[in-house]
Amino acid sequence: MSGVRLLVEGSNRSTQGTAFFVRPGVVCTACHVVFGGEIPRNELPLNFSRTLHVRDQTGTPWAVNLTLACFDPQSDIALLTGEIPPVETSVLPFFEGVLTPGTKYSADGFPTFHGGRPFTVVGEIAAVRPTEKQQALQLLVAQGTQASWGGMSGAPVLCNGAVAGVVTQATQGTSTGWAAHLDAIKNLLWAFELRNVLWAHYTDVESLLALERDLGWEQGPATDREALIARILLRMITGAPTGRFQVLTEIEKDLPLLAELVDLRNALLQRSAAPSAHRPVRPASVSAVLQSIAAENRPGVALLEPFGFAARRVVDAALEAVRAENLALWPLRLVPPRHTQSPERLYRSLSRDLKSGLEELVGHPLPDNWAEPFHQPAEFPPDERFEYTLEGLLEGPVSDSKREVLLIVEDLARVSDDILEQWGYLMARLSRKGLKLLVWGGQELSDLQTRPPKGNAASAFHHLASVKLGLWDEAHIKDLLTIEKGPAARHLASRLLAITNGHPALVEELVTLPANDLASRDEAGLIAEIMEGPHVTRLTRAMEADPAARAVLIEYSRNSFKTLPRLQRKEEERLRWLGILMQSSPKEWVWTAPIFAQWARFLAQRAT
């Protein structure tokens, strides 16, 4: 047998299982083994500390006081810590790659039918369903399941010698076993690290109760620190899909400079960054997007982006987190066609995107129950066909899947204001049936959110949570330089920040330059590079197409003060959403980056 296995006998000694090391001094087993065959579902048992009888693979018994560090009742796995017996404590590696049906596996455990002695089950993975939690892996068992599998629960499922899951149960007489997915183990290990932070820094009951209040959770009886920490972790694991982001964000408010929290957030977002991007993301923005999507009292989130502030990267990172976390959502991208001036064109395009997106997620061709809502009478107007199609999906297969639809809508500026407004009212009606929205844009989206509703009805845009993107800080620029140019270029971050003030589009233009150029050119040379670059060129074209906004820009260029007067003109808002100005106080603007003042003076000279 590879590695080390432990036989764990539960508190009533009638429930046996197998455990394995995932960290030195930390073992993983099935949750029901620890709780005597029952899995606590909704609340933490008051007496959750266990003294478990442990045996090594030779059968030698040890009476060990193991603490239940954390557990996931939905996936039926638990992590235990304590004074591990003096046996070899080799930690098994985790499987790397994608698990697919047909993959060979083995599982080493201590089943009762074999007298608690080591026994190896072999077979192949029949199906992979990550959202099924404790039955995420369906295992075909070559030896059959006629005998009781008692004692095998908690055994690691090994593919090529690496852990791919944890055995949770078997269906007798069908040669079928079931296991939790490796991702569930990784998620629980993350919770274990958070537990260590809570234990080290929340040193009294009151501070933990305050954390629960900040999270907006109902508070049960306060017993002791250990019970409160276990309760927080349990609510996080079994609560909203974005529970880990929510809890981490609140703890960061109490411990803003703690290095362990930085590591935890980076680990949480490591799988969230789009693999093709290879760029750092804004953790706070991604977290805010995910929390807003999960909020029950909101139909979704509006990501407000001045021109050039890289909203797409935040959206891609958030969607990758949705997939990595196996959140209960069907994410579907909708892209309106350019120059949309008619509802017919918009809704035909949205219906095509809706169907093609589902085919990617569910399969092509769509199963009958997914395809049926698309069969709407041809005489219906396109907007009604789209509405009835989406309504049929939400009330039918989407509801049956116990998920919600997340529509990701980009490029709202392609659609005329009146059509967008009407579409928002349609989305508001459907949001009550399990629809979520993630939209991003600039001034057109802000206007939709602030425009007074018609009568007593409000559109979905009025109810979306707003997440505003800002400038990059020096730490973000350092990360970008490290990825693009290597660690030796990190010292250039302060220089880039001084020139760009952290404007994302300007920073990225400079980062594309060779590292030697970044280090050797003087400030004037780098500014000249930006002035001739694509972002400023686009802004110049925008000003040429908008004489009124250009006039205000030239007026401000003649102001020698650090701040500019805010006079509530619509042209000022235009400059704000173009990322040229930003508000410093209710009555003042400042240049988003110093270079824009120089560019505005250039436009003024050219106009004379």
Side-chain angles (χ1 to χ4, degrees), residues 491-564:
H491 72 283
L492 298 172
S494 59
R495 193 169 188 223
L496 269 61
L497 182 64
I499 295 172
T500 67
N501 199 33
H503 189 293
L506 304 185
V507 171
E508 291 199 333
E509 285 187 16
L510 291 182
V511 169
T512 61
L513 296 175
N516 289 338
D517 284 359
L518 283 176
S520 61
R521 286 195 193 185
D522 59 14
E523 182 175 315
L526 294 177
I527 290 175
E529 189 74 32
I530 293 177
M531 293 286 280
E532 298 172 1
H535 187 75
V536 170
T537 299
R538 294 190 189 102
L539 291 177
T540 300
R541 290 173 181 166
M543 291 298 95
E544 290 172 350
D546 191 342
R550 183 178 58 186
V552 173
L553 180 68
I554 291 174
E555 174 192 325
Y556 280 148
S557 73
R558 301 188 178 104
N559 190 318
S560 59
F561 295 100
K562 289 184 178 180
T563 60
L564 307 169

Side-chain angles (χ1 to χ4, degrees), residues 210-491:
L211 176 60
E212 283 191 321
R213 288 193 295 270
D214 291 340
L215 288 164
W217 291 349
E218 293 183 6
Q219 296 186 297
T223 53
D224 53 38
R225 286 177 64 217
E226 190 172 9
L228 278 171
I229 290 173
R231 186 167 76 190
I232 290 170
L233 295 177
L234 180 61
R235 286 176 170 177
M236 177 187 74
I237 292 167
T238 62
T242 56
R244 293 192 294 170
F245 283 99
Q246 180 188 12
V247 174
L248 184 58
T249 299
E250 286 300 330
I251 295 174
E252 286 172 335
K253 294 177 183 178
D254 294 336
L255 308 168
L257 301 178
L258 191 65
E260 292 93 327
L261 293 181
V262 175
D263 293 339
L264 282 170
R265 184 170 284 281
N266 288 338
L268 193 58
L269 290 170
Q270 183 177 9
R271 292 153 61 196
S272 303
S276 60
H278 301 297
R279 292 289 183 91
V281 296
R282 308 170 193 242
S285 298
V286 173
S287 177
V289 167
L290 293 172
Q291 290 182 40
S292 299
I293 291 172
E296 294 182 0
N297 62 337
R298 295 280 190 179
V301 57
L303 195 59
L304 297 172
E305 173 206 28
F307 179 58
F309 273 52
R312 184 181 296 275
R313 188 169 302 151
V314 175
V315 172
D316 288 343
L319 293 181
E320 191 63 27
V322 167
R323 299 184 187 99
E325 297 289 315
N326 294 318
L327 303 188
L329 295 166
W330 296 105
L332 300 167
R333 285 184 182 267
L334 304 182
V335 184
R338 292 186 181 277
H339 310 300
T340 301
Q341 300 296 327
S342 69
E344 291 78 9
R345 188 168 185 234
L346 173 66
Y347 289 109
R348 286 195 182 99
S349 175
L350 295 181
S351 295
R352 287 194 300 269
D353 288 348
L354 185 64
K355 187 174 183 181
S356 61
L358 282 173
E359 286 174 341
E360 291 181 10
L361 295 172
V362 181
H364 177 77
L366 287 174
D368 290 344
N369 60 328
W370 289 88
E372 194 275 332
F374 286 91
H375 302 315
Q376 299 295 331
E379 62 270 18
F380 284 4
D383 58 333
E384 291 185 12
R385 289 204 300 274
F386 177 78
E387 179 178 4
Y388 295 151
T389 296
L390 198 46
E391 188 175 48
L393 289 167
L394 294 172
E395 294 178 346
V398 172
S399 177
D400 294 341
S401 69
K402 294 180 170 48
R403 294 190 179 195
E404 294 179 308
V405 167
L406 173 64
L407 294 184
I408 304 101
V409 187
E410 55 186 281
D411 289 330
L412 291 178
R414 295 180 171 187
V415 185
S416 64
D417 287 349
D418 56 335
I419 296 176
L420 265 182
E421 186 176 37
Q422 186 59 38
W423 186 71
Y425 287 106
L426 186 154
M427 292 296 99
R429 294 195 296 271
L430 293 175
S431 67
R432 294 187 284 269
K433 298 186 178 183
L435 177 70
K436 293 284 188 177
L437 292 174
L438 168 55
V439 299
W440 76 93
Q443 187 171 7
E444 72 286 347
L445 180 54
S446 177
D447 289 346
L448 284 168
Q449 289 196 285
T450 55
R451 184 178 302 165
K454 293 181 178 179
N456 295 325
S459 80
F461 297 113
H462 291 115
H463 295 297
L464 294 176
S466 297
V467 175
K468 298 180 180 179
L469 295 183
L471 299 168
W472 286 350
D473 58 17
E474 186 172 348
H476 191 97
I477 299 174
K478 283 182 178 179
D479 290 343
L480 183 59
L481 284 167
T482 302
I483 293 171
E484 293 293 330
K485 306 299 180 187
R490 288 175 63 86
H491 72 283

